[in-house]
Amino acid sequence: TIHGHRPGFPAAPRRRGRVATPRRRSSWRVWQAMRAVAMSAAARRLSMGSRCRAGGGLWRRSMATAPRLIVPRVTGHSGSSERASRLVAGAGLTAIATGMAFSKGRQLGPAACADDLSHELYADEQRTVALFEKCSASVVHVNTFNREAVFRDMKLSLQEIRGGTGSGFVWDEDHIVTNFHVILNADRASVVLADGTTCEAKIAGIEPDSDLAVLKLERGSKRLVPLERGNSTKLHVGQKVLAIGNPFGLDQTLTSGIVSGLGREMQSVSGRPIRDLIQTDAAINPGNSGGPLLDARGRLIGVNTMIASPSGAFAGVGFAIPVNTVVRVASQLVKYGHTKRAYMGIMLAPPHVRKTVNGLLLQVGAKQLQGALVLAVEDGGPANFVGIRGTERRNRGLVLGDEILELNGKTISSEDALLDALEEQEVGKTVSLKIRRRNASRSGDITVEDAVLRLTLSERPQPQAIPGTHRGGAPGDGAQPRFVLGAPDGEVRSRL
């Protein structure tokens, strides 16, 4: 302190009526510079103390014990101006360093940064919390309802009961994507948004073979934000994934895990296999179906659909439909109301029929089936137009239909292989088919002939609604038809 003045604020050199000399003028300029530096440091400490006043006694004690600027007395007889300048420079650097240190220490004070979790959570925890807060707003809760006839008070009336629950996620401002088995056989569906708002929804399109469905909200909202979409072809086993859904009706539940495997195959509700599934150990329970599977950046990489468990509870093996399949299917469901798939107009032999036929061929010493056997050909279809022949039963026995061996050079060994090959083709495209035809002579000899045909694919017909059943209203009120999945027997599953 200088001459009893407040600590940190140097007093002006006393002039005592002397004539101003160059040395005294230099001393006065030095004093002004030192005072400016000291006042700046004090102002910084005061401002930081006011911001951190809510921090409690710890911050006040820190301010009380903070080092203050002590400036040596500088007068006209204290030495050269060069030495005084060095003292000023040293004092200024001390004040600046002290102010910066205290300001840095107080940047994360409770009052200034109350929403900062860096002092409570690790970096990976902060990323997970931020990801959930960002993506959970795009996840919804899907409730389904069924109507049943109830006989009460000598009257027969319809009563609506809750069918089940599932999850979904925002696709755009008007549409929600979920699993097909979530809304299967339901008469009505409602969607609960992340903010608790309940919206009625109707079916925009379904794809049972991929276990996907798109719901259209009756009143869209611009507040809905779709999830960012990733690329399932760039996934790696071992990378971190997160699942958001509503297991057992507990909405907005987050679970995490890793990608346990890629390229898995499971059977869909329609009986057809779903290929290229993502296997994960992130907990997936009843109610998670239809919810999103996200990567560590919050991008959609799959739709949670099923688990493998002997007890029905989660056992560490869950499956998700890859996002590339979801994008292809959902985009068509939103645009057309159905998926456009190539169609040949034939019915193939299911595995058990194929096994029986191979047994008969083995008994007569004929060559067994190597491709997909055609059981029937639809009149007016693409296959009928090029002359493909189906299996027939005649008086003298069974006449086998044509056997499809290749499609555009791709080997066909079963009905599933042909279905997969057709999914890669576009409607209206002309493909080459290699077929094998067996001809039986009157003497019983069987001749085999291979041929190559050119066939133009058409669009697959859409499933028809069951008459007399409706969704979302009473019969005859113009509500949407109720889609009920047919019996998954061989003929239904094999129909292309």
Side-chain angles (χ1 to χ4, degrees):
T1 56
I2 301 179
H3 306 305
H5 288 267
R6 183 178 176 182
F9 292 85
R14 299 180 181 181
R15 298 195 176 188
R16 300 181 181 179
R18 298 179 181 180
V19 179
T21 62
R23 177 174 294 180
R24 289 197 182 104
R25 284 195 296 269
S26 175
S27 176
W28 179 258
R29 287 194 295 269
V30 169
W31 172 83
Q32 287 181 326
M34 291 169 60
R35 185 175 181 83
V37 171
M39 291 181 66
S40 176
R44 186 180 296 106
R45 289 198 300 271
L46 289 175
S47 64
M48 294 306 302
S50 64
R51 284 203 301 267
C52 302
R53 186 172 296 111
L58 175 63
W59 305 104
R60 288 193 291 272
R61 287 193 298 270
S62 300
M63 289 296 297
T65 59
R68 299 183 181 275
L69 180 63
I70 308 300
V71 184
R73 182 175 180 177
V74 181
T75 64
H77 303 285
S78 61
S80 65
S81 60
E82 181 180 357
R83 180 182 176 187
S85 300
R86 288 199 298 268
L87 290 174
V88 170
L93 291 175
T94 302
I96 294 173
T98 303
M100 292 178 61
F102 273 87
S103 63
K104 183 177 180 181
R106 287 170 172 79
Q107 285 177 359
L108 300 179
C113 302
D115 58 343
D116 190 358
L117 301 178
S118 60
H119 59 291
E120 297 181 0
L121 303 177
Y122 290 108
D124 59 335
E125 293 176 322
Q126 296 178 46
R127 287 192 293 268
T128 302
V129 171
L131 183 148
F132 176 77
E133 293 176 350
K134 171 187 174 183
C135 300
S136 60
S138 302
V139 182
V140 302
H141 191 172
V142 179
N143 295 314
T144 61
F145 302 89
N146 296 328
R147 292 175 179 174
E148 292 187 355
V150 179
F151 188 75
R152 181 183 299 172
D153 298 333
M154 305 299 293
K155 295 181 181 179
L156 185 64
S157 60
L158 291 177
Q159 181 179 356
E160 187 176 74
I161 62 174
R162 189 167 181 173
T165 63
S167 304
F169 59 92
V170 177
W171 184 257
D172 55 31
E173 295 179 356
D174 300 317
H175 296 91
I176 303 296
V177 173
T178 185
N179 282 142
F180 169 71
H181 72 261
V182 172
I183 53 97
L184 177 63
N185 294 336
D187 295 299
R188 185 174 68 88
S190 65
V191 174
V192 182
L193 304 180
D195 59 0
T197 305
T198 301
C199 302
E200 294 297 320
K202 61 180 182 180
I203 293 180
I206 60 172
E207 181 49 67
D209 292 344
S210 300
D211 196 17
L212 290 173
V214 174
L215 303 178
K216 180 177 176 59
L217 300 178
E218 292 188 356
R219 54 183 184 89
S221 175
K222 294 184 178 180
R223 297 175 299 171
L224 300 180
V225 179
L227 292 170
E228 181 183 357
R229 298 160 197 169
N231 188 348
S232 55
T233 61
K234 297 182 179 180
L235 296 179
H236 302 277
V237 174
Q239 77 175 76
K240 183 179 180 181
V241 294
L242 301 101
I244 304 178
N246 309 285
F248 305 108
L250 304 173
D251 56 343
Q252 300 295 310
T253 298
L254 173 69
T255 57
S256 63
I258 62 171
V259 175
S260 304
L262 297 170
R264 305 305 191 202
E265 178 180 324
M266 297 292 287
Q267 194 176 44
S268 67
V269 291
S270 66
R272 279 209 57 206
I274 307 177
R275 306 188 191 278
D276 297 327
L277 291 177
I278 304 169
Q279 180 185 336
T280 178
D281 65 348
I284 299 175
N285 290 290
N288 274 113
S289 295
L293 185 70
L294 309 172
D295 64 5
R297 296 181 179 270
R299 297 174 297 194
L300 177 69
I301 60 173
V303 177
N304 303 318
T305 183
M306 65 182 71
I307 61 175
S309 172
S311 62
F314 181 68
V317 182
F319 300 97
I321 304 169
V323 65
N324 290 10
T325 301
V326 177
V327 171
R328 175 177 58 83
V329 174
S331 299
Q332 295 187 24
L333 293 180
V334 170
K335 186 174 182 180
Y336 306 110
H338 60 272
T339 55
K340 289 190 172 185
R341 290 190 174 183
Y343 175 72
M344 292 177 60
I346 59 177
M347 184 179 297
L348 297 179
H352 69 279
V353 173
R354 176 187 175 89
K355 183 178 179 180
T356 302
V357 172
N358 277 333
L360 297 175
L361 293 175
L362 184 61
Q363 292 178 7
V364 298
K367 193 172 184 178
Q368 295 185 339
L369 297 175
Q370 296 180 352
L373 178 64
V374 178
L375 287 183
V377 179
E378 182 177 344
D379 293 337
N384 188 10
F385 182 76
V386 297
I388 294 179
R389 190 177 68 184
T391 302
E392 299 178 5
R393 185 181 296 276
R394 298 180 182 176
N395 294 334
R396 63 176 183 267
L398 192 67
V399 179
L400 295 180
D402 292 337
E403 182 182 355
I404 300 177
L405 302 177
E406 292 182 5
L407 189 148
N408 274 358
K410 186 174 182 179
T411 302
I412 305 299
S413 58
S414 63
E415 58 166 333
D416 289 334
L418 181 57
L419 292 174
D420 294 338
L422 282 176
E423 287 184 353
E424 300 174 359
Q425 308 301 325
E426 298 179 357
V427 176
K429 184 178 180 180
T430 301
V431 298
S432 63
L433 286 177
K434 182 179 180 181
I435 66 170
R436 175 171 295 168
R437 179 170 296 178
R438 292 175 173 83
N439 297 310
S441 62
R442 293 186 178 182
S443 60
D445 296 334
I446 299 177
T447 59
V448 178
E449 177 184 2
D450 292 349
V452 177
L453 304 176
R454 301 285 293 177
L455 180 144
T456 301
L457 301 173
S458 63
E459 183 180 346
R460 183 185 64 176
Q462 299 307 305
Q464 299 296 323
I466 297 180
T469 59
H470 296 260
R471 182 192 302 276
D477 65 355
Q480 270 202 323
R482 174 182 178 182
F483 286 92
V484 181
L485 195 65
D489 56 10
E491 292 186 354
V492 173
R493 288 191 294 108
S494 304
R495 189 166 185 267
L496 297 183

